[in-house]
């Protein structure tokens, strides 16, 4: 068969199909049936598409870059309303662990937007969030609202904002100048940060509680290994806080307070933070 014959045969098939479609289109209610069928097909695909499988695949893809292992428990995804995860366990590269129980999330866009367009916008709540590394630990109830543009490669987001509220916070295992600090409780910690590439800028961090009250400002330069991220922070503590009353020895190492405000510059990295003492020697805090 020559190319000309093939072309003529193809055109004939197209014309015949067009004529049959024209006949079907002219039948009573044909337009309604066709539009309804297309709409229902689209809705069925959107509602029953295995989004949970896609999200688990995405987690597996980023797992080697951020951790030694990620376990995702029962996952109940809902296209409309809150989706839930009963348990999320992450073992980080330094053998520390992050655990989230009773996690709810509601993103304003469907997961196709998340996985294809890399836009993460919505809110998250965790009834039991904890971090453990040896004797050091942290636990809290978390609520967060975020609007992030994610990178197509494993690593930190490109740009965006995160508002975070932690309540019923317990911090334990803190050691300062060789002194073991009793567990510290916070009633609430409110945080607002923006991310621009590898720069995390702190709009505000305000912490309050009977043990310790104050604020944090500054920023963090994010590293591929989060523990190596560089700190450039200013911590302000209310000197009337119970912690300073119980550990007056603190004041002999820290910069001299101004009125009821104790201002502490913090540098170093997340894994190895340091402050300037009155003797201007770096004191490591773990």
């Amino acid at each position: 068969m020559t190319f000309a014959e093939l072309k003529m045969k193809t055109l004939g098939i197209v014309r015949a199909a067009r004529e049959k479609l024209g006949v079907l289109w002219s039948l009573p209610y044909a337009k309604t049936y066709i539009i309804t069928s297309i709409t229902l097909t689209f809705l069925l695909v959107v509602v029953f598409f295995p989004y949970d499988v896609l999200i688990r695949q995405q987690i597996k893809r980023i797992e080697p870059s951020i951790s030694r292992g990620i376990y995702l428990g029962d996952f109940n995804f809902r296209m409309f309303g809150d989706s839930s995860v009963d348990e999320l366990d992450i073992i980080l590269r330094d053998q520390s662990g992050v655990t989230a129980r009773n996690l709810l999330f509601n993103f304003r866009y469907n997961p196709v937007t998340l996985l294809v367009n890399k836009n993460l916008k919505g809110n998250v709540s965790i009834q039991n969030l904890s971090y453990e590394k040896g004797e050091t630990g942290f636990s809290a109830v978390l609520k967060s609202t975020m609007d992030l543009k994610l990178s197509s490669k494993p690593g930190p987001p490109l740009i965006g904002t995160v508002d975070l509220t932690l309540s019923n916070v317990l911090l334990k295992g803190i050691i300062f100048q060789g002194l073991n600090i009793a567990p510290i409780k916070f009633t609430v910690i409110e945080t607002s940060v923006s991310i621009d590439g590898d720069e995390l800028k702190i709009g505000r961090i305000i912490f309050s509680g009977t043990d310790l009250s104050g604020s944090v400002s500054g920023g963090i330069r994010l590293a591929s290994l989060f523990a190596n991220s560089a700190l450039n922070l200013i911590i302000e503590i209310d000197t009337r806080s119970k912690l300073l009353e119980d550990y007056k020895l603190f004041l002999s190492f820290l910069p001299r307070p101004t009125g009821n405000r104790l201002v502490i510059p913090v540098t170093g990295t997340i894994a190895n933070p340091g402050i300037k003492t009155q003797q201007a020697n770096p004191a490591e805090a773990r």
Side-chain angles (χ1 to χ4, degrees):
M1 180 181 293
T2 65
F3 176 76
E5 291 174 337
L6 179 61
K7 180 179 178 181
M8 291 297 296
K9 188 172 183 178
T10 303
L11 291 174
I13 294 173
V14 171
R15 281 195 293 268
R18 186 183 298 171
E19 291 175 0
K20 291 181 180 181
L21 287 175
V23 173
L24 289 173
W25 195 255
S26 64
L27 293 174
Y29 305 110
K31 297 178 182 178
T32 302
Y33 293 147
I34 293 173
I35 293 174
T36 302
S37 299
I38 294 174
T39 302
L40 288 175
T41 301
F42 174 77
L43 289 175
L44 287 172
V45 170
V46 169
V47 172
F48 293 105
F49 191 82
Y51 295 114
D52 57 333
V53 175
L54 283 179
I55 292 175
R56 287 180 185 274
Q57 289 177 347
Q58 183 77 353
I59 290 174
K60 284 295 182 184
R61 187 181 74 85
I62 67 174
E63 182 179 20
S65 66
I66 64 173
S67 71
R68 292 178 178 268
I70 299 177
Y71 169 75
L72 184 65
D74 290 338
F75 182 21
N76 180 18
F77 176 80
R78 295 180 180 177
M79 190 65 190
F80 307 100
D82 289 339
S83 300
S84 64
V85 176
D86 70 332
E87 182 178 359
L88 175 64
D89 292 317
I90 304 174
I91 301 175
L92 301 176
R93 290 180 175 181
D94 61 356
Q95 295 297 332
S96 61
V98 177
T99 300
R101 299 283 188 271
N102 299 323
L103 188 154
L104 298 177
F105 61 92
N106 187 345
F107 296 116
R108 294 182 176 87
Y109 299 107
N110 62 62
V112 172
T113 303
L114 168 61
L115 301 178
V116 177
N117 296 335
K118 308 298 180 182
N119 186 220
L120 181 61
K121 185 176 182 179
N123 53 70
V124 176
S125 67
I126 303 175
Q127 291 303 308
N128 187 350
L129 174 67
S130 63
Y131 168 84
E132 295 285 343
K133 183 182 180 183
E135 298 298 322
T136 303
F138 162 88
S139 64
V141 177
L142 177 148
K143 291 184 179 180
S144 177
T145 300
M146 64 192 71
D147 185 359
L148 300 171
K149 180 67 175 179
L150 304 178
S151 172
S152 58
K153 299 179 181 179
L158 292 177
I159 191 169
T161 59
V162 177
D163 291 327
L164 181 69
T165 299
L166 298 169
S167 55
N168 299 328
V169 182
L170 176 65
L171 188 61
K172 64 179 183 178
I174 302 299
I175 301 175
F176 181 75
Q177 292 289 339
L179 182 65
N180 291 311
I181 307 303
I184 304 171
K185 295 180 180 180
F186 298 95
T187 304
V188 65
I189 301 176
E190 295 183 344
T191 303
S192 178
V193 302
S194 62
I195 302 172
D196 189 356
D198 62 352
E199 289 288 339
L200 189 151
K201 301 176 182 177
I202 298 174
R204 77 171 190 281
I205 296 180
I206 300 174
F207 51 92
S208 60
T210 56
D211 290 338
L212 195 64
S213 296
S215 64
V216 180
S217 59
I220 301 173
R221 182 176 291 276
L222 301 173
S224 55
L225 183 60
F226 185 69
N228 293 335
S229 298
L231 302 174
N232 182 19
L233 305 175
I234 299 294
I235 300 177
E236 295 189 16
I237 297 177
D238 187 339
T239 55
R240 295 166 294 185
S241 298
K242 181 176 181 295
L243 180 67
L244 296 186
E245 290 293 330
D246 293 343
Y247 296 92
K248 292 185 181 296
L249 182 62
F250 274 154
L251 298 178
S252 65
F253 293 105
L254 299 174
R256 297 186 184 281
T258 302
N260 294 325
R261 292 170 60 249
L262 177 62
V263 180
I264 307 172
V266 180
T267 56
T269 66
I270 289 177
N272 189 27
I275 67 172
K276 293 181 179 180
T277 66
Q278 289 193 35
Q279 292 78 25
N281 293 321
E284 291 186 353
R286 296 195 302 274

